[in-house]
Amino acid sequence: YTTLFRSNLDGDKKNVCFKKKILKYFVTNGNSTIQELAKEINLSIPTITKAVGELQNMGYVNEYGKQETGEGRRPILYGLNPDSGFFVGVEIKENFVNLGLMNFRGDLIELDDNVPCLINNTMESIDELCTLVKNFIEKTEVKHDKILNVTFCISGRVNSESGYSHTLYNFLESPLTNTLSEKININVSIENDTRAFAYGEYMKGMVSGEKDVLFINDSWGLGLGIIIDGELYRGRSGFAGEIGHMHVFNNDILCHCGKKGCLETEASGSALQRIVKQRIEAGESSILTKKEGDIFTLDNIIDAINDEDPLCIDVIEKIGRNLGETVANLINIFNPELVVIGGVMARTGDFLLQSVLTSVRKYSLNLVNKDTRLCLSKLRERGGITGACLLARKVVLE
């Protein structure tokens, strides 16, 4: 069934290559005519007609009626068959995972949120994770051979090309992708969680034609996804985007990376929780002190910000200004068309965004930042799982 993607048995490499180009065109542009495809891919109409016919026979392409035209013969519209293949995304969080199933057209058709899972650096954790994935696939009732790829997004240093994760599950001698593929019996890819989030936002979120985009993932930690000329930038070893561990502050706060003074220690969700807790314990007043139970979780604090608690607002605005200084530097370096701020902290809305903008206006070059738009993520907490599924499809098509 998946001959086109898993071998070159259906013709030579050149034939397979332009079939993939056709499918990628449908992914990007939606339903199209033979004439539009021929012009875009720069092949003759008979060649495109033959290839589209073969893709129809293989089940990847459907006819979708005729294009509305002012006069003359109306051309037939072709597009992806959404049920011809499926992709699974697995977003690994601190103590749980999110699992999603996407069809070939890019529709997220099944989602399991916040599934408890023991996440630690052991083989037992990998076994539990793979069992959850297999159970999820079985529950969807999609035939096993129609799942073309499973992509796991993991925080920290991840080399998607080599298949190694250097932060989590880094005790294996062989690539992590090999182990996961063997246990699930499906082709597996891995990606850094912030890059997955960035790709999800690029394909399905706030991006509207921009090709140079920076995505700030401000959650418990802090990461950067970089898209240059429409492509994810990973760096030589796949580790690009570690802005959370840039040395910015002369403080004595130990970051989880083992160093002091990291941006993450003063501009992330973990910083927000630590500072609010310290200030309340020092005697400052907050609506959080009037609640029972564990009042210092990040979710509690974000809710207090949105309920306009003065103390929590003061902290988030300082965090936003801290983050904004680094965003200003990134704008000076990359001159992007768009900067998107996402992750858990984006739930604080304009309290964070306006503070970031204040620093950006103060510290970035006017000539550079005038063409850069800053906004909050559209996908919010769905960005990671959406991006993981879309990257699974991207892996197959490329």
Side-chain angles (χ1 to χ4, degrees), residues 155-288:
S155 64
R157 268 63 70 196
V158 175
N159 190 323
S160 57
E161 187 173 331
S162 69
Y164 281 94
S165 171
H166 296 269
T167 303
L168 181 65
Y169 306 141
N170 58 4
F171 57 88
L172 300 165
E173 292 186 7
S174 61
L176 175 61
T177 48
N178 290 0
T179 300
L180 295 173
S181 295
E182 289 169 5
K183 289 182 178 293
I184 298 172
N185 196 27
I186 298 175
N187 190 42
V188 164
S189 304
I190 59 173
E191 186 55 273
N192 168 267
D193 59 344
T194 296
R195 276 197 292 273
F197 217 136
Y199 190 69
E201 194 71 38
Y202 180 74
M203 294 294 291
K204 296 279 188 177
M206 291 300 296
V207 179
S208 55
E210 294 92 348
K211 295 292 185 182
D212 298 308
V213 181
L214 300 180
F215 177 82
I216 310 292
N217 183 9
D218 197 357
S219 294
W220 185 255
L222 188 63
L224 172 69
I226 305 167
I227 293 176
I228 299 176
D229 196 24
E231 294 294 332
L232 278 173
Y233 179 76
R234 294 181 171 89
R236 173 64 181 87
S237 305
F239 306 152
E242 292 288 349
I243 62 164
H245 303 295
M246 292 169 55
H247 185 273
V248 177
F249 303 101
N250 290 319
N251 61 31
D252 290 324
I253 301 168
L254 187 66
C255 181
H256 70 85
C257 72
K259 302 182 186 298
K260 295 180 180 179
C262 292
L263 177 63
E264 193 170 294
T265 64
E266 300 284 1
S268 64
S270 56
L272 174 63
Q273 185 190 56
R274 185 194 74 247
I275 296 167
V276 168
K277 183 177 180 181
Q278 287 173 346
R279 288 179 59 170
I280 289 176
E281 289 177 346
E284 294 191 50
S285 178
S286 166
I287 61 175
L288 292 173

Side-chain angles (χ1 to χ4, degrees), residues 20-33 36-41 64 67 77-80 104-105 203-204 209 211 393 397:
K20 288 186 177 182
K21 284 184 178 180
I22 291 170
L23 295 177
K24 288 169 73 175
Y25 184 83
F26 287 139
V27 163
T28 304
N29 300 282
N31 299 343
S32 305
T33 65
E36 289 167 339
L37 286 165
K39 182 179 179 181
E40 177 68 22
I41 300 174
Y64 288 98
Q67 188 180 55
L77 284 168
Y78 297 92
L80 294 172
F104 215 120
R105 192 169 53 198
M203 294 294 291
K204 296 279 188 177
K211 295 292 185 182
R393 183 179 68 178
L397 287 173

